[in-house]
């Protein structure tokens, strides 16, 4: 299938700003539900306006196109990194190539494309806000010698002007914060200032 056909197949025409915005709007239902469940796991039972803004105050979508590559072994698709988001909602086509790093280990696990499914990644902002209870996932994409690949991540983020740190609900009972308050736009700038380097960005927020 040609890249353009693939995009159309997923409801995203190349000039389809409206479709992308519609996809993002529709995804909000899923995102809110996921965040609600994740907050429950932290004993934060109500997502008030402040928390909603911190958790999902801004969203960004990328349309990633990975052309097939004559020398995949000499090429990096996307280097190892964790996203700076709260959550990333990733739609991938049927080609595959996304790997996640095992928690506390060196194994890389392939994330097989499953028709009709989305991949949900925890990002650094949620690791910081949950005071380390939820861990952002390190991931990378390997180049493919035979097929073009497309992926469409929605990055669910705090707003650039938000100060993020462990949620007050978590540290009010005497839990020791392991991250400081950082301006989210500074955190993102720090991420983009350097190359992809695994999970090193998070050190920027460590106490
Ligand atoms: O293409 C993918 O599967 C993941 C891309 C990615 O990690 C990113 O855009 O941050
Ligand atoms: Fe990523």
């Amino acid at each position: 299938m040609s890249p353009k056909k693939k995009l159309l197949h997923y409801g995203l025409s190349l000039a389809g700003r409206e479709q992308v915005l519609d996809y993002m709007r529709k995804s909000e239902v899923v995102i809110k539900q996921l965040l609600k469940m994740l907050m429950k796991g932290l004993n934060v039972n109500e997502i008030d306006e402040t928390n909603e803004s911190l958790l999902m105050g801004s969203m960004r979508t990328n349309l990633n196109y990975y052309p097939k590559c004559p020398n995949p072994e000499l090429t990096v698709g996307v280097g190892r990194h964790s996203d700076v988001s709260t959550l990333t909602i990733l739609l991938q086509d049927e080609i595959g190539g996304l790997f996640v790093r095992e928690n506390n280990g060196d194994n890389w696990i392939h994330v097989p494309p499953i028709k009709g499914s989305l991949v949900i990644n925890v990002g650094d902002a949620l690791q910081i806000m949950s005071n380390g209870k939820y861990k952002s996932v390190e991931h990378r994409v390997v180049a493919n010698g035979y097929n073009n690949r497309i992926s469409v991540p929605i990055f669910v983020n705090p707003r650039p002007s938000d100060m993020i740190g462990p949620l007050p609900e978590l540290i009010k009972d005497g839990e020791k914060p392991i991250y400081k308050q950082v301006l989210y736009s500074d955190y993102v700038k720090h991420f983009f200032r350097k190359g992809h380097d695994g999970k090193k960005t998070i050190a920027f927020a460590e106490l």
Side-chain angles (χ1 to χ4, degrees), residues 60 62 64-66 78-79 81-84 88 90-93 96-99 111 119 121 139-141 149-153 155 191 196:
R60 199 188 84 203
N62 283 1
N64 294 328
Y65 175 55
Y66 303 87
V78 177
H81 68 284
S82 52
D83 296 339
V84 291
T88 303
L90 180 89
L91 175 65
Q92 60 171 339
D93 66 12
L98 171 66
F99 287 78
V111 181
V119 178
N121 282 339
H139 55 285
R140 65 189 170 108
V141 179
R149 175 172 182 266
I150 282 169
S151 73
V152 183
F155 300 101
F191 173 78
H196 282 150

Side-chain angles (χ1 to χ4, degrees), residues 27 49 51 56-57 64 67-69 88 95 130 168-169 180 182 188-189 201:
S27 74
E49 255 175 52
N51 279 355
M56 53 178 296
N64 294 328
K68 73 176 166 203
C69 177
T88 303
I95 301 304
S130 70
E169 292 90 330
K180 57 188 171 196
V182 292
V188 175
K189 264 187 226 152
T201 322

